[in-house]
């Protein structure tokens, strides 16, 4: 009987410890200063915050093309990023975003290190944002039109389209092997690399909201697509 009671006591104690551990982890997570929110949640929180500190951490060139309404531009890759954000109120919420989420995530971590208490990062960046933007109407659309793109992929050869950007870290990792494959497959497969920032209208029309992008076409029809980093080995499997 004593053995049974001992076992029951240990079981209750074990369950109790598990419950306390789970609770403490949940509490710790809820107290984290950085919260990455999807577009709709980010917009709701932004609109519900009085005088929000909204930071566009892209380059000035990207910012001048379009940005979220009332956002200030503080370039994450600029040498004065820390000096500029130090002027903000660390006790009040700060919202950050970039093109696809990579730079803003790094900026959010830096803000946390600097002592900011409440930081909101836009998941997927401005490419996935559906809310109000402020666009520079003076900027003339650049890049290929839809009809020009259709001519590009209308070939008797297999066509690989890669959308990338200079600021995109995964794009930079893929660049060496894509350049190599361009030469290696010349005459057999057309591998065409396009700058996403110079073909913004095309990306929006094609509903591509992440980088890098790999699209494969045969006889003018899309047969495969991949968004995000892709290894050389995995791309070659599709050829």
């Amino acid at each position: 009987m004593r053995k049974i009671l001992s076992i029951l006591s240990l079981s209750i104690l074990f369950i109790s410890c598990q419950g306390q551990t789970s609770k403490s982890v949940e509490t710790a997570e809820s107290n984290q200063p950085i919260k990455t929110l999807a577009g709709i949640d980010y917009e709701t929180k932004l609109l519900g915050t009085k005088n929000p500190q909204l930071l566009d951490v892209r380059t000035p060139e990207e910012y001048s093309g379009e940005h979220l309404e009332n956002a200030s531009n503080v370039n994450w890759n600029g040498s004065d990023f820390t000096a500029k954000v130090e002027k903000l109120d660390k006790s009040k919420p700060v919202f950050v975003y970039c093109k696809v989420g990579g730079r803003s995530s790094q900026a959010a971590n830096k803000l946390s290190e600097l002592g900011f208490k409440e930081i909101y990062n836009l998941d997927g960046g401005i490419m996935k944002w559906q809310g109000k933007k402020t666009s520079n109407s003076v900027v003339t659309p650049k890049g290929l039109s839809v009809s020009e793109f259709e001519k590009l992929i209308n070939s008797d050869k297999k066509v690989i389209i890669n959308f990338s950007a200079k600021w995109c870290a995964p794009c930079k990792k893929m660049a060496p092997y894509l350049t190599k494959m361009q030469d290696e497959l010349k005459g057999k497969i057309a591998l065409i690399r396009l700058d996403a920032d110079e073909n913004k209208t095309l990306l929006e029309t094609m509903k591509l909201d992440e980088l890098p992008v790999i699209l494969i076409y045969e006889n003018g029809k899309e047969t495969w697509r991949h968004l995000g980093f892709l290894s050389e080995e995995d791309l070659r499997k599709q050829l």
Side-chain angles (χ1 to χ4, degrees):
M1 185 66 179
R2 288 182 179 178
K3 287 184 177 180
I4 294 173
L5 289 173
S6 297
I7 292 170
L8 285 172
S9 298
L10 287 171
S11 299
I12 292 170
L13 179 62
F14 177 71
I15 293 170
S16 177
C17 288
Q18 280 190 317
Q20 289 177 351
T21 301
S22 299
K23 186 176 181 180
S24 63
V25 169
E26 183 179 344
T27 301
E29 289 177 349
S30 64
N31 288 334
Q32 291 298 312
I34 303 172
K35 294 180 177 62
T36 298
L37 303 178
I40 186 65
D41 298 321
Y42 187 92
E43 183 177 19
T44 300
K45 187 68 181 177
L46 183 64
L47 293 175
T49 301
K50 186 177 180 181
N51 299 321
Q53 303 179 107
L54 177 59
L55 305 182
D56 183 320
V57 301
R58 300 173 300 159
T59 64
E61 291 75 21
E62 292 175 275
Y63 176 84
S64 67
E66 69 169 0
H67 53 268
L68 302 193
E69 191 173 37
N70 299 320
S72 299
N73 184 215
V74 185
N75 185 6
W76 165 244
N77 291 320
S79 58
D80 57 352
F81 178 84
T82 300
K84 284 186 175 181
V85 298
E86 282 282 16
K87 297 177 182 178
L88 301 176
D89 190 336
K90 295 181 181 180
S91 66
K92 294 182 179 179
V94 59
F95 296 78
V96 294
Y97 73 90
C98 63
K99 186 75 170 182
V100 295
R103 285 171 289 178
S104 61
S105 179
Q106 292 176 304
N109 288 330
K110 183 63 178 179
L111 291 169
S112 178
E113 290 176 13
L114 293 172
F116 285 81
K117 306 300 182 184
E118 194 174 348
I119 307 158
Y120 296 96
N121 178 34
L122 176 57
D123 186 32
I126 199 171
M127 284 189 74
K128 289 190 176 181
W129 175 260
Q130 299 300 316
K132 191 171 183 180
K133 301 176 186 177
T134 297
S135 299
N136 185 348
S137 57
V138 177
V139 176
T140 304
K142 298 184 295 182
L144 299 174
S145 65
V146 174
S147 59
E148 289 172 330
F149 183 78
E150 289 176 348
K151 289 179 182 178
L152 194 65
I153 61 174
N154 190 15
S155 170
D156 55 356
K157 299 176 185 176
K158 187 174 288 188
V159 178
I160 303 173
I161 300 292
N162 166 229
F163 284 105
S164 62
K166 297 174 183 176
W167 45 262
C168 169
C171 300
K172 291 178 182 178
K173 290 182 181 179
M174 292 171 61
Y177 84 71
L178 288 172
T179 301
K180 179 184 70 176
M181 288 178 68
Q182 274 183 313
D183 294 331
E184 180 186 314
L185 300 173
K186 194 172 183 179
K188 301 176 183 177
I189 295 175
L191 200 166
I192 302 163
R193 303 180 65 200
L194 300 173
D195 189 299
D197 290 327
E198 294 181 359
N199 290 277
K200 177 185 163 187
T201 303
L202 189 57
L203 262 71
E204 290 179 349
T205 302
M206 297 171 70
K207 300 187 184 305
L208 297 172
D209 56 11
E210 189 176 340
L211 291 177
V213 175
I214 293 288
L215 304 169
I216 297 179
Y217 293 87
E218 292 186 60
N219 298 315
K221 294 183 179 180
E222 182 182 323
T223 59
W224 192 79
R225 72 165 53 191
H226 182 87
L227 277 64
F229 177 79
L230 182 69
S231 69
E232 179 179 357
E233 180 183 2
D234 287 337
L235 176 56
R236 287 186 181 276
K237 288 178 181 178
Q238 303 303 319
L239 306 182

